[in-house]
Amino acid sequence: MEVDQLQRSFLEYTTSLFREGFLDGQFGQLQMLQDESNPDFVVEVVSLFFEDSQRILNDLSITLNQQNVDYKKIDANVPQLKGSSSSIGAQRVRNACIAFRNFCEEQNADACRRCLQQVKQEYLLVKEKLEALIRLEQQIVAAGGAIPMLNEFS
Amino acid sequence: MSKNGVFSRLRRLEKVEGVDEYEYANPSCDSDEVHVLAVDDSLVDRKVIEKLLKITSCKVTAVDSGRRALQFLGLDEEETASVGFDDLKVDLIITDYCMPGMTGYELLKKIKGSSIFREIPVVIMSSENVLARIDSCLEEGAEDFIVKPVKLADVKRLKRCMFGEGRIPKQERAFNKRKLQQDSPEITNAPSLDENALSSPSHSSTSSPCSPRSFSSLPSTPCSPTSLDSPTRRVKVSDDS
């Protein structure tokens, strides 16, 4: 595929992710930080996010599977996920975490379990999309092109 | 550090007390870079803040806890600057608020409670835009409070406000220093440093003599209508989604 086409696909895809709320301005910030000295910056941060999130989601599953749910653990874990998703611009994951936190305060185990499912779902969605985005980036670079940037985020 | 005996430890302590003139007398220290100690338990956030700082030409040491930060500064539980990381003078500490173990607020208090390090500006980062939290940090002596997620504009503003557009020449820096002793102790070369306490691979071993300059208060940043009326408060409130 030609570089032009790839770049256009990339821009279209990125735009749709922003429009649908999967990503927000913070992701744009990360893209801006990527440069020749660190051309894999976005991939590195996103990979860290995946690792970190997986760990937290696993911990949360274990905690919520207990007979006596330890809400302190949930209260420690959910903000971590909220924070890291916020830092990479994974808006929907972040919003799901906010809802989760509220139910955790109420100590409503069933609601928390539903929230966890919601967070997991949003996480898997954004993971899939980010992976697709990164693949497109890699295709562009492999074809000798530069990764275009959107200007529409703060 | 392990090969240095008591004698060099004493020498180091002397140097730490006379740290100001040591820096300016040391001819090998000519780095213009601002050295920032970043503290955050989140791996993702550490990576991002490190990049943000590097891109604004700061030297960065990133650690994952308040405890490590204190160790790096040489201000661990013994409350004495016994570890001499003299060559690695920190110009700014930027720390997350919510951390397990020691919070950013507690770290702030420890730093401000230290006669040696209290002049280092401390900036708090937090994802929670809680007025009471901001207040208590500023009251405890924090220089600024940034609402996460941290953006490039935040870091640029910080750097610009605290350290100016360019570096102040050495003579002026010396003049600005609080303590300028007339009878300085004999200056010797720094002993070799033990780097195993550091968690960040980005840590540089070159010397960085930059001390915190005295600076005028930061320009106030636009705040949301619900916040602050005190003229001493300088808070960036996130106004986007």
Side-chain angles (χ1 to χ4, degrees):
Chain A
M1 232 199 261
E2 285 195 30
V3 175
D4 285 354
Q5 249 178 301
L6 286 168
Q7 286 172 328
R8 237 174 296 131
S9 298
F10 176 82
L11 280 174
E12 275 166 17
Y13 194 55
T14 314
T15 308
S16 73
L17 294 182
F18 281 108
R19 192 178 51 237
E20 289 163 31
F22 287 104
L23 297 176
D24 64 24
Q26 189 60 18
F27 186 74
Q29 286 280 314
L30 298 187
Q31 288 178 311
M32 268 201 313
L33 295 178
Q34 187 158 283
D35 57 21
E36 312 78 50
S37 71
N38 196 343
D40 294 321
F41 177 69
V42 175
V43 173
E44 286 168 7
V45 180
V46 167
S47 304
L48 280 176
F49 170 68
F50 291 162
E51 279 171 38
D52 209 35
S53 304
Q54 202 58 65
R55 174 188 62 83
I56 294 171
L57 289 170
N58 287 344
D59 284 351
L60 284 168
S61 292
I62 292 170
T63 307
L64 280 167
N65 278 338
Q66 305 302 315
Q67 187 76 333
N68 290 320
V69 175
D70 186 347
Y71 289 98
K72 279 212 200 85
K73 278 196 184 156
I74 301 179
D75 207 39
N77 274 330
V78 175
Q80 282 183 335
L81 186 53
K82 175 182 169 254
S84 57
S85 55
S86 164
S87 294
I88 72 150
Q91 190 176 252
R92 285 203 193 175
V93 176
R94 176 181 162 264
N95 290 342
C97 287
I98 293 174
F100 196 157
R101 199 128 161 253
N102 294 336
F103 283 111
C104 174
E105 268 168 43
E106 292 176 24
Q107 304 214 343
N108 184 336
D110 283 336
C112 284
R113 286 181 193 116
R114 283 195 295 275
C115 283
L116 177 58
Q117 286 320 305
Q118 188 67 21
V119 174
K120 271 187 180 166
Q121 201 172 307
E122 291 299 344
Y123 166 70
L124 290 170
L125 272 171
V126 83
K127 179 169 189 279
E128 186 189 296
K129 290 170 192 304
L130 284 170
E131 282 170 341
L133 195 64
I134 286 166
R135 267 195 306 274
L136 266 173
E137 276 190 6
Q138 289 168 342
Q139 281 178 291
I140 293 172
V141 170
I147 300 165
M149 286 230 308
L150 281 176
N151 294 320
E152 26 198 84
F153 29 77
S154 52
Chain B
M1 196 164 67
S2 50
K3 50 184 175 175
N4 291 320
V6 175
F7 182 63
S8 12
R9 185 190 156 104
L10 285 176
R11 276 272 206 58
R12 225 182 285 127
L13 279 175
E14 264 180 72
K15 275 208 302 296
V16 168
E17 270 146 33
V19 74
D20 302 7
E21 59 282 344
Y22 166 64
E23 290 152 21
Y24 300 114
N26 189 332
S28 67
C29 297
D30 56 1
S31 167
D32 267 355
E33 281 186 311
V34 171
H35 181 203
V36 184
L37 177 62
V39 191
D40 201 319
D41 62 309
S42 159
L43 204 47
V44 171
D45 288 358
R46 249 188 345 269
K47 176 117 185 140
V48 174
I49 193 75
E50 195 173 352
K51 184 70 179 173
L52 286 171
L53 289 165
K54 280 188 173 163
I55 253 194
T56 47
S57 309
C58 295
K59 214 187 297 273
V60 190
T61 300
V63 299
D64 63 1
S65 70
R67 175 75 180 276
R68 296 262 211 183
L70 292 177
Q71 280 173 358
F72 179 76
L73 290 170
L75 194 65
D76 37 23
E77 306 96 271
E78 290 88 65
E79 297 293 342
T80 54
S82 55
V83 174
F85 285 106
D86 304 326
D87 287 349
L88 309 164
K89 197 78 176 73
V90 169
D91 298 302
L92 168 67
I93 296 168
I94 182 161
T95 177
D96 189 24
Y97 185 95
C98 281
M99 295 187 292
M102 187 186 295
T103 66
Y105 179 70
E106 286 158 357
L107 175 60
L108 167 68
K109 285 206 289 191
K110 289 245 180 207
I111 290 163
K112 294 303 167 185
S114 150
S115 51
I116 299 165
F117 297 107
R118 75 163 90 103
E119 291 300 303
I120 303 179
V122 180
V123 172
I124 310 280
M125 306 179 280
S126 176
S127 52
E128 311 291 316
N129 190 4
V130 175
L131 223 51
R133 179 179 291 188
I134 297 170
D135 275 0
S136 52
C137 288
L138 293 175
E139 268 157 35
E140 205 57 48
E143 216 38 59
D144 207 337
F145 189 101
I146 299 179
V147 179
K148 281 181 161 181
V150 185
K151 296 175 164 46
L152 188 57
D154 295 325
V155 177
K156 279 185 171 171
R157 176 182 63 88
L158 259 185
K159 200 192 176 206
R160 192 175 56 241
C161 293
M162 291 189 181
F163 303 102
E165 299 292 346
R167 299 292 295 166
I168 293 177
K170 278 187 185 164
Q171 276 79 2
E172 278 183 52
R173 259 191 268 159
F175 184 75
N176 282 338
K177 285 307 295 176
R178 285 176 303 120
K179 297 185 269 203
L180 208 55
Q181 294 170 18
Q182 294 309 309
D183 43 343
S184 50
E186 184 149 72
I187 306 303
T188 55
N189 290 326
S192 58
L193 304 168
D194 185 351
E195 292 181 34
N196 63 12
L198 303 167
S199 65
S200 168
S202 69
H203 169 69
S204 162
S205 60
T206 60
S207 56
S208 174
C210 327
S211 320
R213 279 185 230 147
S214 57
F215 47 85
S216 50
S217 57
L218 299 177
S220 53
T221 52
C223 296
S224 72
T226 52
S227 73
L228 331 166
D229 39 12
S230 163
T232 62
R233 290 172 181 156
R234 305 168 290 268
V235 170
K236 184 229 174 229
V237 173
S238 182
D239 55 7
D240 45 56
S241 65

